[in-house]
mmCIF file of all heavy atoms in Angstrom:
data_model
loop_
_atom_site.group_PDB
_atom_site.id
_atom_site.type_symbol
_atom_site.label_atom_id
_atom_site.label_comp_id
_atom_site.label_asym_id
_atom_site.label_seq_id
_atom_site.Cartn_x
_atom_site.Cartn_y
_atom_site.Cartn_z
ATOM 1 N N ASN I 38 104.862 90.964 115.055
ATOM 2 C CA ASN I 38 105.848 90.876 113.969
ATOM 3 C C ASN I 38 106.058 89.457 113.475
ATOM 4 O O ASN I 38 107.137 89.100 112.993
ATOM 5 C CB ASN I 38 107.184 91.494 114.386
ATOM 6 C CG ASN I 38 107.055 92.968 114.704
ATOM 7 O OD1 ASN I 38 106.052 93.592 114.339
ATOM 8 N ND2 ASN I 38 108.046 93.529 115.367
ATOM 9 N N THR I 89 117.383 79.429 122.316
ATOM 10 C CA THR I 89 115.927 79.315 122.203
ATOM 11 C C THR I 89 115.367 80.644 121.693
ATOM 12 O O THR I 89 114.883 81.470 122.471
ATOM 13 C CB THR I 89 115.298 78.984 123.561
ATOM 14 O OG1 THR I 89 115.748 79.983 124.491
ATOM 15 C CG2 THR I 89 115.742 77.638 124.060
ATOM 16 N N GLY I 90 115.460 80.817 120.399
ATOM 17 C CA GLY I 90 115.144 82.100 119.779
ATOM 18 C C GLY I 90 116.316 83.026 120.005
ATOM 19 O O GLY I 90 117.213 82.732 120.824
ATOM 20 N N SER I 91 116.342 84.165 119.302
ATOM 21 C CA SER I 91 117.477 85.047 119.575
ATOM 22 C C SER I 91 117.303 85.747 120.919
ATOM 23 O O SER I 91 118.262 86.250 121.495
ATOM 24 C CB SER I 91 117.766 86.011 118.430
ATOM 25 O OG SER I 91 116.630 86.697 118.045
ATOM 26 N N VAL I 92 116.087 85.730 121.472
ATOM 27 C CA VAL I 92 115.921 86.207 122.850
ATOM 28 C C VAL I 92 116.726 85.316 123.793
ATOM 29 O O VAL I 92 117.380 85.795 124.723
ATOM 30 C CB VAL I 92 114.431 86.210 123.264
ATOM 31 C CG1 VAL I 92 114.288 86.458 124.748
ATOM 32 C CG2 VAL I 92 113.668 87.260 122.499
ATOM 33 N N GLY I 93 116.694 84.020 123.537
ATOM 34 C CA GLY I 93 117.508 83.102 124.327
ATOM 35 C C GLY I 93 118.983 83.448 124.202
ATOM 36 O O GLY I 93 119.719 83.457 125.194
ATOM 37 N N PHE I 116 113.964 97.042 121.690
ATOM 38 C CA PHE I 116 113.350 95.738 121.949
ATOM 39 C C PHE I 116 113.072 95.567 123.444
ATOM 40 O O PHE I 116 113.974 95.731 124.269
ATOM 41 C CB PHE I 116 114.282 94.644 121.441
ATOM 42 C CG PHE I 116 113.713 93.257 121.471
ATOM 43 C CD1 PHE I 116 112.364 93.013 121.260
ATOM 44 C CD2 PHE I 116 114.555 92.171 121.683
ATOM 45 C CE1 PHE I 116 111.852 91.717 121.265
ATOM 46 C CE2 PHE I 116 114.062 90.871 121.680
ATOM 47 C CZ PHE I 116 112.713 90.646 121.479
ATOM 48 N N TYR I 119 115.301 93.599 126.163
ATOM 49 C CA TYR I 119 116.598 94.033 126.719
ATOM 50 C C TYR I 119 116.509 94.434 128.193
ATOM 51 O O TYR I 119 117.280 93.931 129.011
ATOM 52 C CB TYR I 119 117.205 95.192 125.898
ATOM 53 C CG TYR I 119 117.436 94.939 124.425
ATOM 54 C CD1 TYR I 119 117.436 95.992 123.506
ATOM 55 C CD2 TYR I 119 117.670 93.660 123.924
ATOM 56 C CE1 TYR I 119 117.656 95.782 122.147
ATOM 57 C CE2 TYR I 119 117.886 93.441 122.557
ATOM 58 C CZ TYR I 119 117.877 94.522 121.673
ATOM 59 O OH TYR I 119 118.085 94.321 120.330
ATOM 60 N N CYS I 160 119.998 97.486 117.854
ATOM 61 C CA CYS I 160 118.903 96.728 117.240
ATOM 62 C C CYS I 160 118.696 97.286 115.836
ATOM 63 O O CYS I 160 118.231 98.416 115.670
ATOM 64 C CB CYS I 160 117.649 96.916 118.089
ATOM 65 S SG CYS I 160 116.280 95.872 117.631
ATOM 66 N N ASN I 164 113.335 97.536 116.630
ATOM 67 C CA ASN I 164 111.999 97.206 117.088
ATOM 68 C C ASN I 164 111.735 98.100 118.309
ATOM 69 O O ASN I 164 112.517 98.058 119.248
ATOM 70 C CB ASN I 164 111.971 95.714 117.480
ATOM 71 C CG ASN I 164 110.650 95.280 118.069
ATOM 72 O OD1 ASN I 164 109.703 96.050 118.156
ATOM 73 N ND2 ASN I 164 110.591 94.026 118.482
ATOM 74 N N ASP I 191 121.694 93.212 116.778
ATOM 75 C CA ASP I 191 120.498 92.367 116.778
ATOM 76 C C ASP I 191 119.792 92.554 115.435
ATOM 77 O O ASP I 191 119.128 93.563 115.203
ATOM 78 C CB ASP I 191 119.595 92.769 117.954
ATOM 79 C CG ASP I 191 118.377 91.863 118.095
ATOM 80 O OD1 ASP I 191 118.058 91.115 117.137
ATOM 81 O OD2 ASP I 191 117.730 91.915 119.150
ATOM 82 N N ALA I 193 117.305 90.737 113.902
ATOM 83 C CA ALA I 193 116.150 89.841 113.801
ATOM 84 C C ALA I 193 115.368 90.049 112.492
ATOM 85 O O ALA I 193 114.682 89.145 112.020
ATOM 86 C CB ALA I 193 115.224 90.049 114.998
ATOM 87 N N TYR I 194 115.485 91.256 111.915
ATOM 88 C CA TYR I 194 114.692 91.582 110.715
ATOM 89 C C TYR I 194 115.563 91.750 109.473
ATOM 90 O O TYR I 194 115.134 92.356 108.479
ATOM 91 C CB TYR I 194 113.862 92.850 110.974
ATOM 92 C CG TYR I 194 112.968 92.688 112.167
ATOM 93 C CD1 TYR I 194 113.336 93.168 113.418
ATOM 94 C CD2 TYR I 194 111.769 91.994 112.054
ATOM 95 C CE1 TYR I 194 112.533 92.970 114.530
ATOM 96 C CE2 TYR I 194 110.961 91.798 113.156
ATOM 97 C CZ TYR I 194 111.346 92.290 114.396
ATOM 98 O OH TYR I 194 110.549 92.084 115.493
ATOM 99 N N THR I 221 117.582 85.197 113.678
ATOM 100 C CA THR I 221 116.528 84.311 114.191
ATOM 101 C C THR I 221 115.767 83.649 113.047
ATOM 102 O O THR I 221 115.687 84.197 111.948
ATOM 103 C CB THR I 221 115.541 85.107 115.077
ATOM 104 O OG1 THR I 221 114.509 84.211 115.513
ATOM 105 C CG2 THR I 221 114.886 86.265 114.330
ATOM 106 N N SER I 223 112.641 83.142 113.578
ATOM 107 C CA SER I 223 111.257 83.463 113.968
ATOM 108 C C SER I 223 110.527 84.361 112.983
ATOM 109 O O SER I 223 109.308 84.276 112.855
ATOM 110 C CB SER I 223 111.249 84.166 115.330
ATOM 111 O OG SER I 223 111.708 83.319 116.343
ATOM 112 N N LYS I 224 111.220 85.273 112.331
ATOM 113 C CA LYS I 224 110.524 86.304 111.566
ATOM 114 C C LYS I 224 110.462 85.935 110.085
ATOM 115 O O LYS I 224 109.451 85.461 109.618
ATOM 116 C CB LYS I 224 111.199 87.663 111.794
ATOM 117 C CG LYS I 224 111.412 88.006 113.287
ATOM 118 C CD LYS I 224 110.130 88.446 113.981
ATOM 119 C CE LYS I 224 110.126 88.420 115.504
ATOM 120 N NZ LYS I 224 111.169 89.101 116.209
ATOM 121 N N ARG I 232 111.067 78.440 118.486
ATOM 122 C CA ARG I 232 112.122 78.982 119.348
ATOM 123 C C ARG I 232 113.514 78.546 118.917
ATOM 124 O O ARG I 232 114.130 77.678 119.557
ATOM 125 C CB ARG I 232 111.876 78.609 120.827
ATOM 126 C CG ARG I 232 110.463 78.777 121.343
ATOM 127 C CD ARG I 232 109.915 80.156 121.094
ATOM 128 N NE ARG I 232 110.754 81.211 121.632
ATOM 129 C CZ ARG I 232 111.163 82.254 120.906
ATOM 130 N NH1 ARG I 232 110.810 82.397 119.634
ATOM 131 N NH2 ARG I 232 111.915 83.159 121.452
ATOM 132 N N VAL I 233 114.003 79.123 117.858
ATOM 133 C CA VAL I 233 115.397 78.876 117.466
ATOM 134 C C VAL I 233 115.989 80.112 116.803
ATOM 135 O O VAL I 233 115.406 80.702 115.899
ATOM 136 C CB VAL I 233 115.540 77.591 116.597
ATOM 137 C CG1 VAL I 233 114.597 77.579 115.408
ATOM 138 C CG2 VAL I 233 116.989 77.384 116.124
HETATM 139 C C1 PLP B 401 111.521 89.227 117.400
HETATM 140 C C2 PLP B 401 112.833 89.750 117.843
HETATM 141 C C3 PLP B 401 113.863 88.913 118.267
HETATM 142 C C4 PLP B 401 113.813 87.477 118.292
HETATM 143 O O1 PLP B 401 112.900 86.730 118.670
HETATM 144 P P1 PLP B 401 113.106 85.183 118.840
HETATM 145 O O2 PLP B 401 111.777 84.662 118.491
HETATM 146 O O3 PLP B 401 113.474 84.986 120.273
HETATM 147 O O4 PLP B 401 114.192 84.730 117.933
HETATM 148 C C5 PLP B 401 115.072 89.447 118.614
HETATM 149 N N1 PLP B 401 115.294 90.743 118.558
HETATM 150 C C6 PLP B 401 114.350 91.578 118.152
HETATM 151 C C7 PLP B 401 114.666 93.012 118.073
HETATM 152 C C8 PLP B 401 113.093 91.119 117.797
HETATM 153 O O5 PLP B 401 112.162 91.978 117.420
#
Side-chain angles (χ1 to χ4, degrees):
N38 298 344
T89 54
S91 52
V92 170
F116 188 33
Y119 303 153
C160 189
N164 176 3
D191 185 344
Y194 303 97
T221 178
S223 295
K224 310 284 163 53
R232 315 307 305 128
V233 52

